[in-house]
Amino acid sequence: MSSVPQFPQPETDRNSTPVRKQRKALRRAGLVAAGVAIAILVTGRAAAAPEPLHTTAPGCMTSSGAQPNGKQWPAEPALTIDPGYPYAATLQTNCGAIAVDLDAARAPRTVNSFVFLSGEQYFDHTRCHRLTTEGIFVLQCGDPTGTGSGGPGYRFDDENLAGATYPAGTVAMANAGPNTNGSQFFLVYSDSRLPANYTPFGRVSAGMDVLQNIAAGGTKDGSGDGAPSTDVVFESVTAQHN
């Protein structure tokens, strides 16, 4: 990956995005050493007191193994939410729960789609397929295929971009260009330098520790942009107005 921030590109194959593979020897050695230290810690805990298996990030449980339903729709759902009401979502991951306040007033179509997909259990058992640890600091999720190329079968326009910023806790849509929103979204775990191209539609209200714990595990290959080393799965995603 280039040292220049790369931006979330969900509804297209991420393999087309150049990713820097070279890493300094010292940094690589440090990552390997850190991975060994974590493995020793987890192994030690398991030997001391039997408990459910953990993955790389402490506290992450083995997922249920259930598969996403993979539903598809030919068009964006009709607007059924009331933008005048506050909405919230709970992302129950195998690493803990993340609560999100949804901004229906500023991003009604985005929140409407998110509420619709949540009600269809579309996000349940999906994996967060991308973690960036350089420049933009996001965990990207919402693709039932787990490849970065999946979506619900429809797309819709951007919203709430005027003056948009992406501080830690922001929840925003990932896209493949203007007005290509689908189901993929990202959670910002540290202040990000993204340009105002990605619809912000919520903020983490609880569970930042869960998100940052996942991010601390890094990527599987030690790069700045790749699959999380921890297998992060949404066991369920629910959304409703408060």
Side-chain angles (χ1 to χ4, degrees):
M1 166 168 172
S2 167
S3 60
V4 177
Q6 300 294 310
F7 309 135
Q9 300 177 2
E11 311 298 341
T12 185
D13 190 349
R14 283 191 58 254
N15 291 332
S16 64
T17 303
V19 177
R20 188 178 65 188
K21 295 299 184 181
Q22 297 180 346
R23 287 289 180 268
K24 292 182 179 179
L26 288 176
R27 182 175 178 184
R28 187 181 299 277
L31 288 167
V32 171
V36 170
I38 291 172
I40 291 172
L41 172 63
V42 173
T43 302
R45 288 178 60 189
E51 57 182 326
L53 294 176
H54 288 66
T55 48
T56 302
C60 292
M61 312 302 290
T62 302
S63 67
S64 68
Q67 297 301 307
N69 60 40
K71 293 180 180 179
Q72 296 283 286
W73 294 268
E76 175 187 1
L79 189 69
T80 58
I81 66 163
D82 185 340
Y85 277 99
Y87 285 77
T90 300
L91 317 178
Q92 184 64 56
T93 81
N94 60 315
C95 297
I98 301 172
V100 177
D101 288 335
L102 302 174
D103 193 349
R106 293 184 175 85
R109 290 174 64 180
T110 307
V111 172
N112 184 72
S113 175
F114 191 87
V115 170
F116 169 78
L117 293 174
S118 298
E120 293 287 337
Q121 292 81 51
Y122 179 84
F123 295 120
D124 294 4
H125 314 301
T126 61
R127 283 168 167 74
C128 294
H129 61 277
R130 184 183 185 193
L131 178 71
T132 62
T133 60
E134 297 177 356
I136 62 176
F137 309 118
V138 305
L139 177 68
Q140 189 167 317
C141 313
D143 175 8
T145 72
T147 64
S149 62
Y154 62 83
R155 293 183 173 187
F156 58 95
D157 291 349
D158 300 321
E159 299 178 293
N160 195 28
L161 294 185
T165 58
Y166 305 88
T170 300
V171 183
M173 295 300 294
N175 62 49
N179 303 317
T180 60
N181 300 294
S183 61
Q184 294 187 42
F185 62 96
F186 59 88
L187 302 100
V188 181
Y189 64 87
S190 183
D191 293 351
S192 180
R193 297 177 290 169
L194 283 165
N197 295 338
Y198 307 95
T199 298
F201 69 97
R203 287 195 61 77
V204 173
S205 58
M208 275 298 294
D209 57 331
V210 173
L211 180 58
Q212 290 169 343
N213 182 49
I214 293 168
T219 61
K220 288 185 185 297
D221 63 3
S223 70
D225 185 349
S229 60
T230 301
D231 192 22
V232 183
V233 179
F234 290 142
E235 298 296 0
S236 67
V237 175
T238 56
Q240 62 286 316
H241 70 75
N242 291 335

